């Protein structure tokens, strides 16, 4: 029987043949699965391949990963700049900084881009029923994700390696750092597989899908926030922690600080033969290896558990009080309430939306703290507490992303219903959905924050809260018309290419939002007067009301969705 | 002659819910079996267990006289499967997908591609053959699934709602294909909710209800020659008699009351 033809990018698979066959893998089937997964990833719209969309089979395979590689290379360049700034510090400090950044990037990539490759329930329906064993399928899946991860390492870490090579003039160090990066990627890879295995083991049906989503979202938020921790603490605080880490001393906190382990091989290769370097190297090699062996032993269960993704449960859902109350208060009529419900439900279940917007919300909460930390830290408490009630205005930083993402859905064809129903007041659809987004994501935080601030600044907590609330509402309505505008919400499948195009609009609106945030915090904090808050609230309230009124009832959306053969029947 | 498919006392529960209580039957080669039952009766679970997608809690299964083991995959080469849900890699073209499936069953790439193209041409799939499946209609996708189940010339076919989305002419062709396959010794395990088609096609009918086999035999045998059809028998055996009342209540709500 002829060997399976593999694309050029997958020729390396041949090298694995003896090892795979020894492990009990059907090599032919393995090649087929790897090739298929590669083709599908190349055509995927979620950022793995980033190719131009075509309907035919040929173009995507031509160079599927080039764009994605270039985007990561750009980010890698920024990391390399950071490395150049740290060039004067100790080698351990540089490597720790590099690996902490790469750890965040790898883990986020695993969770956002590659999870669809790992958790595809169709694999069982298509491969397992045709005699592909769990072991073969699992290893094929891991191989293709491993390959994509390797490309990610090279693009993200490559520029930093060049900076290290140029600044340190030490080739063994570069090789050691590369080894550290590979081990770090392996660690992220296996750790995320374990997380999935754990969740698949203990949950079923819809609950399983929800938990998987929550896990991904929480980790993404956690990483975004922790990445800002150094900025939040400030350079002077970090200096007190003696941030230049010596090369040859072992601190207890190295053990939980996972990215630090992977500095070990680089230190050793650079000639630092201290016990700490040896210990870190042992941790960097042994822990991922042990995790990998344990995972491979349990890989078969992964396949069985995937079946659970196909199950559904019978639990019924009830409308929450916040949904019921906000819909009644915010919507003008029953038609708008219908669209409000649609928007609310979509935001409830759209995983991609949550993955991209929730971290931005967390970011919005933390950014003013970062911006303010430089001068608030040096202020007296009496002065600083005047600024605190206005910090929630940072949330408007998330408004552009939250609005932009309203265009996308995982099943945009469902919006085709609006082609068939009488739909005279399309502006209400946009307004209802924008309102639902605001009430679901922003309003609870904007209401809770002033209440919490009552303890800190009772005089202005509520008035500043009202000011921020009206400002956020005005910004949401204005940007909503402009950004979602003529496109029927939830009518396009998200893809990273579109995401990048929207990035330009996003940058401008985020820039505007930053100016507003700065102005509100500075003016509000310096003047610190309830009457000024009320004047501001009145102005923004009027702007919000006018924008709300201005949503045209006669918008005619282009209801052209992706056509299928059946459309021609 | 060994039965092509034999299930003995198969049981399966999901948590507290028992889906298959005690299912046993044996099917001879060259038979079309209509496997019917209400939603939730356990039809798909039975098929998934036979295909190795689920593991039974108790009981044994034999395919062509060979008991299935947990790690057994070879027997799947003798089986063709059309799932109820259109589970395909729709980023691929029909040609790419069908070639992949042929290769998974051990066919050479060129042979699989050529055979798939010939079959596609006969059933009218040719215009969509080099288009991504995502842009194909429901009927086209169903044809992809049907061809995928037959490429490797299997002995046993599991077809779950195979006529979904097909036009009336194609349905006739597929029905004839089934008879032709049966006449050439293939065993066909056919599951559908369209009772008149099941009655017309099947040599034998197995009715599953609440996880148990409630009727098993040729249509004339299970009706004892009475002047009835499968739909009426189905309603009777599954204890569903109030369809008239349900329809009336439904339309009352649609039209706002009894007129």
């Amino acid at each position: 029987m002829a060997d399976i033809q593999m694309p050029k990018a997958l020729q390396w698979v041949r090298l694995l043949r003896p090892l795979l066959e020894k492990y009990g893998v059907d090599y032919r089937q393995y090649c087929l699965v790897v090739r298929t997964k590669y083709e599908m990833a190349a055509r995927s719209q979620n950022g793995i391949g980033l190719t131009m969309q075509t309907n035919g089979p040929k173009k995507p395979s031509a160079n599927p990963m080039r764009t994605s590689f270039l985007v990561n290379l750009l980010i890698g360049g920024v990391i390399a700049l950071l490395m150049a700034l740290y060039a004067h510090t100790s080698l351990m400090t540089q490597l720790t900084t590099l690996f902490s950044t790469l750890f965040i990037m790898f883990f986020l990539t695993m969770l956002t881009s590659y999870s669809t490759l790992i958790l595809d329930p169709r694999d069982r329906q298509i491969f397992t029923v045709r005699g592909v064993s769990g072991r073969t399928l699992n290893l094929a899946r891991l191989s293709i994700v491993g390959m994509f991860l390797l490309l990610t390492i090279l693009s993200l870490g490559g520029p930093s390696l060049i900076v290290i090579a140029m600044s340190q003039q030490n080739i063994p160090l570069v090789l050691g750092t590369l080894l550290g990066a590979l081990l770090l990627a392996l660690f992220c890879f296996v750790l995320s597989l374990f997380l999935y295995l754990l969740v698949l083991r203990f949950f079923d049906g819809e609950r399983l899908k929800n938990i998987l989503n929550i896990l991904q979202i929480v980790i993404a938020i956690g990483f975004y926030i922790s990445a800002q921790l150094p900025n939040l603490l400030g350079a002077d605080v970090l200096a007190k922690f003696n941030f230049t880490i010596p090369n040859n001393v072992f601190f207890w906190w190295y053990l939980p600080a996972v990215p630090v382990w992977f500095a070990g091989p680089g230190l050793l290769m650079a000639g630092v033969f201290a016990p700490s370097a040896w210990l870190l190297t042992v941790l960097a090699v042994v822990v991922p290896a042990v995790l990998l062996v344990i995972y491979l032993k349990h890989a078969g269960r992964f396949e069985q558990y995937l079946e659970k993704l196909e199950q559904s449960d019978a639990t019924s859902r009830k409308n929450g009080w916040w949904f019921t109350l906000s819909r009644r208060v915010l919507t003008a009529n029953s038609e708008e309430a219908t669209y409000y419900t649609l928007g609310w439900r979509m935001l409830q279940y759209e995983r991609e939306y949550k993955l991209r917007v929730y971290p931005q919300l967390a970011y919005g909460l933390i950014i003013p703290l970062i911006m303010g930390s430089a001068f608030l830290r040096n202020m007296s408490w009496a002065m600083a507490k005047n600024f605190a009630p206005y910090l929630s205005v940072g949330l408007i930083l998330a408004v552009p992303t939250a609005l932009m993402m309203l265009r996308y859905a995982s099943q945009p064809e469902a919006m085709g219903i609006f082609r068939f129903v009488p739909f005279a007041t399309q502006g209400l659809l946009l307004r209802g959905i924008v309102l639902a987004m605001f009430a679901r994501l922003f309003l609870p935080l904007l209401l809770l924050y002033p209440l919490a601030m009552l303890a800190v600044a009772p005089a202005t907590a509520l008035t500043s809260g009202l000011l921020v609330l009206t400002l956020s509402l005005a910004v949401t309505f204005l940007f909503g018309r402009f950004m979602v505008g003529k496109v029927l919400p939830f009518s396009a499948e998200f893809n990273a290419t579109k995401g990048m195009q929207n990035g330009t609009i996003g940058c401008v609106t985020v820039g505007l939002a930053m100016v507003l945030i700065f102005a509100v915090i500075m003016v509000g904090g310096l003047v610190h007067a309830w009457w000024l808050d009320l004047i501001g609230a009145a102005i923004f309230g009027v702007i919000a009301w006018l924008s709300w009124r201005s949503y045209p009832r006669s918008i005619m959306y282009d209801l052209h969705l992706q056509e299928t053969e059946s459309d021609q029947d | 002659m060994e039965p092509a498919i034999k299930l003995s006392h198969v049981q399966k529960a999901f948590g507290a819910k028992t889906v298959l209580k005690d299912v046993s039957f044996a099917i001879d080669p060259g038979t079309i079996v209509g496997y019917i039952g209400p939603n939730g009766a356990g039809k798909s679970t039975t098929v998934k267990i036979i295909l190795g997608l689920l593991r039974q809690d108790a009981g044994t299964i034999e395919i062509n006289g060979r008991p299935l083991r947990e790690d057994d995959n070879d027997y799947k080469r003798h089986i063709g499967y059309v799932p109820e849900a259109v589970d395909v890699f729709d980023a691929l073209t029909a040609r790419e997908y069908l070639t992949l499936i042929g290769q998974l069953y051990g066919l050479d790439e060129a042979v699989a591609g050529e055979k798939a193209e010939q079959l596609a041409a006969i059933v009218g799939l040719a215009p969509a053959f080099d288009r991504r499946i995502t842009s194909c209609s429901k009927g086209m996708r169903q044809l992809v699934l049907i061809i995928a189940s037959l490429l490797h010339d299997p002995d046993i076919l599991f077809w779950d709602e195979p006529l979904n989305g097909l036009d009336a002419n194609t349905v006739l062709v597929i029905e004839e294909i089934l008879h032709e396959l049966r006449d050439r010794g293939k065993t066909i395990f056919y599951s559908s909710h369209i009772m008149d088609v099941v009655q017309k096609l099947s040599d034998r009918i197995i009715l599953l209800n609440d996880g148990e086999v409630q009727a098993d035999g040729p249509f004339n045998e299970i009706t004892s020659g009475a002047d009835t059809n499968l739909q009426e028998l189905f309603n009777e055996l599954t204890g569903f008699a109030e369809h008239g009342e349900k329809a009336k209540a439904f339309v009352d709500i649609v039209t706002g009351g009894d007129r």
Side-chain angles (χ1 to χ4, degrees):
Chain A
M1 200 178 292
D3 274 353
I4 303 297
Q5 292 283 318
M6 300 293 267
K8 271 185 193 169
L10 296 175
Q11 294 295 335
W12 54 269
V13 162
R14 287 184 190 164
L15 302 172
L16 302 176
R17 184 169 190 165
L19 191 71
L20 291 168
E21 287 180 339
K22 197 174 170 188
Y23 187 64
V25 166
D26 183 319
Y27 178 71
R28 195 169 181 277
Q29 290 182 336
Y30 169 88
C31 287
L32 283 168
V33 179
V34 168
R35 191 179 70 179
T36 308
K37 289 267 166 196
Y38 173 82
E39 283 294 338
M40 289 197 301
R43 294 172 197 182
S44 97
Q45 303 191 14
N46 69 358
I48 301 171
L50 283 181
T51 49
M52 296 301 288
Q53 294 304 302
T54 64
N55 202 25
K58 297 291 178 202
K59 280 190 181 172
S61 1
N63 204 340
M65 265 81 66
R66 191 175 56 192
T67 320
S68 131
F69 184 82
L70 289 176
V71 169
N72 280 335
L73 203 61
L74 198 68
I75 300 169
V78 176
I79 300 172
L81 276 177
L82 189 71
M83 292 303 297
L85 290 175
Y86 276 75
H88 65 282
T89 60
S90 70
L91 183 59
M92 184 63 179
T93 312
Q94 291 177 52
L95 294 179
T96 302
T97 310
L98 172 65
F99 287 121
S100 300
T101 317
L102 289 181
F103 182 60
I104 292 165
M105 297 299 297
F106 290 164
F107 216 81
L108 284 176
T109 311
M110 275 300 296
L111 291 174
T112 53
S113 296
Y114 300 149
S115 62
T116 45
L117 276 176
I118 296 168
L119 300 170
D120 190 344
R122 292 175 304 179
D123 285 354
R124 286 175 60 75
Q125 294 286 347
I126 292 168
F127 292 123
T128 308
V129 297
R130 272 132 190 147
V132 179
S133 69
R135 180 168 289 187
T136 302
L137 183 54
N138 206 276
L139 271 176
R141 205 186 278 139
L142 298 193
S143 302
I144 199 74
V145 176
M147 186 190 111
F148 286 133
L149 204 55
L150 192 67
L151 283 173
T152 311
I153 295 167
L154 290 176
S155 50
L156 287 175
S160 297
L161 287 176
I162 294 168
V163 167
I164 291 173
M166 285 165 63
S167 64
Q168 305 283 334
Q169 304 281 316
N170 188 337
I171 296 302
L173 166 64
V174 174
L175 294 176
T177 310
L178 177 64
L179 178 65
L182 291 172
L183 289 167
L184 176 66
L186 179 67
F187 179 81
C188 293
F189 184 35
V190 185
L191 192 66
S192 51
L193 290 173
F194 262 106
L195 277 175
Y196 287 137
L197 192 65
L198 203 71
V199 175
L200 287 167
R201 163 74 182 81
F202 289 105
F203 298 95
D204 298 293
E206 290 298 318
R207 211 162 148 224
L208 168 62
K209 288 172 202 162
N210 290 339
I211 293 285
L212 278 172
N213 292 341
I214 290 167
L215 179 79
Q216 291 171 341
I217 292 159
V218 166
I219 289 176
I221 292 173
F223 272 125
Y224 269 98
I225 291 179
S226 56
Q228 289 300 328
L229 208 57
N231 293 331
L232 195 59
L233 293 173
D236 50 339
V237 176
L238 289 176
K240 285 178 196 157
F241 281 107
N242 190 15
F243 192 60
T244 297
I245 309 165
N247 288 343
N248 50 9
V249 181
F250 187 85
F251 296 100
W252 66 268
W253 56 264
Y254 283 2
L255 290 174
V258 174
V260 180
W261 304 349
F262 300 91
L267 287 172
L268 278 185
M269 298 287 270
V272 181
F273 296 115
S276 61
W278 284 106
L279 190 63
L280 291 175
T281 307
V282 169
L283 283 170
V285 173
V286 171
V287 174
V290 169
L291 283 177
L292 185 65
V293 169
I294 297 173
Y295 175 77
L296 288 176
K297 281 201 160 190
H298 294 87
R301 288 191 195 167
F302 197 94
E303 295 308 314
Q304 288 165 26
Y305 296 151
L306 272 185
E307 174 69 20
K308 292 182 179 185
L309 281 172
E310 299 260 76
Q311 296 168 13
S312 56
D313 54 18
T315 52
S316 56
R317 290 186 182 80
K318 288 180 182 168
N319 289 335
W321 66 270
W322 178 240
F323 165 71
T324 312
L325 179 71
S326 61
R327 185 175 64 168
R328 186 171 300 168
V329 172
L330 296 174
T331 56
N333 53 44
S334 63
E335 194 176 351
E336 191 174 18
T338 305
Y339 301 136
Y340 184 94
T341 309
L342 170 72
W344 188 280
R345 296 277 179 255
M346 292 296 282
L347 299 188
Q348 203 169 3
Y349 299 117
E350 281 297 334
R351 175 179 164 275
E352 288 287 328
Y353 186 91
K354 290 179 184 174
L355 257 178
R356 284 172 169 85
V357 175
Y358 286 15
Q360 290 292 326
L361 273 175
Y363 228 43
L365 275 176
I366 204 167
I367 278 286
L369 295 174
I370 293 164
M371 284 165 60
S373 61
F375 63 91
L376 284 181
R377 196 177 298 113
N378 299 322
M379 281 181 192
S380 65
W381 170 241
M383 185 74 175
K385 71 181 185 183
N386 292 346
F387 290 87
Y390 300 93
L391 294 182
S392 62
V393 74
L395 281 171
I396 64 171
L397 203 62
V399 168
T401 314
L403 286 167
M404 216 153 43
M405 292 296 296
L406 288 176
R407 293 180 181 183
Y408 306 111
S410 53
Q411 290 180 307
E413 60 274 17
M415 291 300 278
I417 184 77
F418 290 107
R419 285 194 286 188
F420 312 113
V421 295
F423 189 40
T425 55
Q426 299 184 3
L428 281 184
L429 179 131
L430 176 61
R431 203 170 75 185
I433 287 172
V434 167
L435 261 178
M437 183 279 289
F438 184 78
R440 184 173 166 80
L441 302 183
F442 293 92
L443 201 50
L445 294 168
L446 292 171
L447 292 176
L448 286 174
Y449 190 80
L451 293 179
M453 280 296 116
L454 275 173
V456 177
T460 54
L462 296 180
T463 53
S464 63
L466 189 64
L467 170 74
V468 173
L469 177 68
T470 50
L471 170 64
S472 309
L473 198 56
V475 166
T476 304
F477 279 133
L478 279 172
F479 285 8
R481 266 202 69 182
F482 166 63
M483 296 179 76
V484 191
K486 291 173 185 165
V487 185
L488 179 67
F490 307 122
S491 65
E493 193 168 353
F494 183 84
N495 73 55
T497 318
K498 283 182 192 163
M500 283 193 296
Q501 287 161 359
N502 290 336
T504 319
I505 306 168
C507 281
V508 175
T509 45
V510 165
L512 279 172
M514 288 292 270
V515 172
L516 277 173
I517 291 168
F518 189 73
V520 168
I521 294 176
M522 288 308 290
V523 175
L526 288 173
V527 179
H528 186 59
W530 61 266
W531 53 267
L532 187 64
D533 292 344
L534 289 181
I535 292 172
I539 293 169
F540 290 126
V542 170
I543 295 173
W545 183 74
L546 288 174
S547 328
W548 179 80
R549 292 257 311 170
S550 73
Y551 274 61
R553 300 225 166 178
S554 56
I555 295 178
M556 286 312 290
Y557 287 118
D558 175 13
L559 296 178
H560 177 87
L561 299 168
Q562 189 182 26
E563 279 198 2
T564 68
E565 187 74 18
S566 55
D567 295 321
Q568 297 160 25
D569 288 349
Chain B
M1 187 168 51
E2 297 279 8
I5 308 165
K6 185 177 176 189
L7 268 70
S8 305
H9 307 291
V10 171
Q11 296 173 25
K12 177 72 187 173
F14 294 103
K17 191 183 178 198
T18 304
V19 177
L20 297 180
K21 289 176 182 163
D22 183 18
V23 175
S24 300
F25 53 75
I27 301 166
D28 291 331
T31 314
I32 299 179
V33 172
Y35 195 53
I36 58 173
N39 286 335
K43 301 188 298 295
S44 295
T45 304
T46 315
V47 175
K48 282 184 175 179
I49 288 173
I50 298 172
L51 292 170
L53 291 173
L54 290 173
R55 205 174 298 163
Q56 72 269 33
D57 299 332
T60 56
I61 297 162
E62 291 175 27
I63 298 290
N64 292 333
R66 209 175 95 185
L68 297 192
R69 295 188 321 272
E70 195 180 302
D71 56 346
D72 205 345
N73 274 312
D74 285 344
Y75 78 97
K76 293 176 185 171
R77 292 181 188 278
H78 303 284
I79 289 175
Y81 175 49
V82 174
E84 184 185 8
V86 188
D87 282 322
V88 289
F89 292 136
D90 51 14
L92 303 180
T93 64
R95 180 193 296 278
E96 288 169 335
Y97 181 74
L98 290 170
T99 307
L100 163 73
I101 299 300
Q103 286 183 286
L104 284 173
Y105 283 123
L107 301 180
D108 278 336
E109 188 164 0
V111 174
E114 195 178 332
K115 194 169 178 183
E117 192 167 6
Q118 287 169 355
L119 295 175
I122 293 171
V123 292
L125 184 61
F129 199 59
D130 284 308
R131 287 221 313 262
R132 288 197 195 168
I133 300 171
T134 188
S135 69
C136 291
S137 68
K138 195 175 173 186
M140 296 283 193
R141 288 171 186 231
Q142 197 64 27
L143 287 172
V144 171
L145 289 178
I146 288 173
I147 295 173
S149 76
L150 292 167
L151 270 176
H152 57 300
D153 188 20
D155 303 326
I156 303 168
L157 289 170
F158 287 93
W159 280 17
D160 198 350
E161 296 289 0
L163 306 180
N164 272 349
L166 299 182
D167 66 53
N169 290 336
T170 314
V171 165
L172 279 180
V173 176
I174 299 296
E175 287 176 5
E176 283 305 316
I177 288 172
L178 280 177
H179 283 133
E180 196 65 39
L181 287 167
R182 187 263 320 271
D183 293 346
R184 297 188 193 195
K186 312 291 184 191
T187 308
I188 295 141
F189 199 81
Y190 183 98
S191 187
S192 175
H193 290 296
I194 308 168
M195 292 298 126
D196 52 348
V197 177
V198 176
Q199 183 182 333
K200 188 168 76 174
L201 286 176
S202 309
D203 303 314
R204 174 179 162 191
I205 288 161
I206 299 176
L207 194 154
L208 197 68
N209 190 26
D210 199 19
E212 289 176 304
V213 175
Q214 206 144 26
D216 182 357
F219 176 69
N220 287 336
E221 204 173 284
I222 57 176
T223 55
S224 309
D227 183 21
T228 182
N229 59 37
L230 187 58
Q231 182 68 63
E232 287 175 358
L233 180 74
F234 183 89
N235 293 348
E236 186 189 323
L237 291 176
T238 55
F240 186 81
E242 68 273 22
H243 54 276
E245 289 86 349
K246 286 200 177 202
K248 188 174 178 304
F250 190 96
V251 175
D252 279 351
I253 293 171
V254 170
T255 59
D258 196 357
R259 291 184 188 173

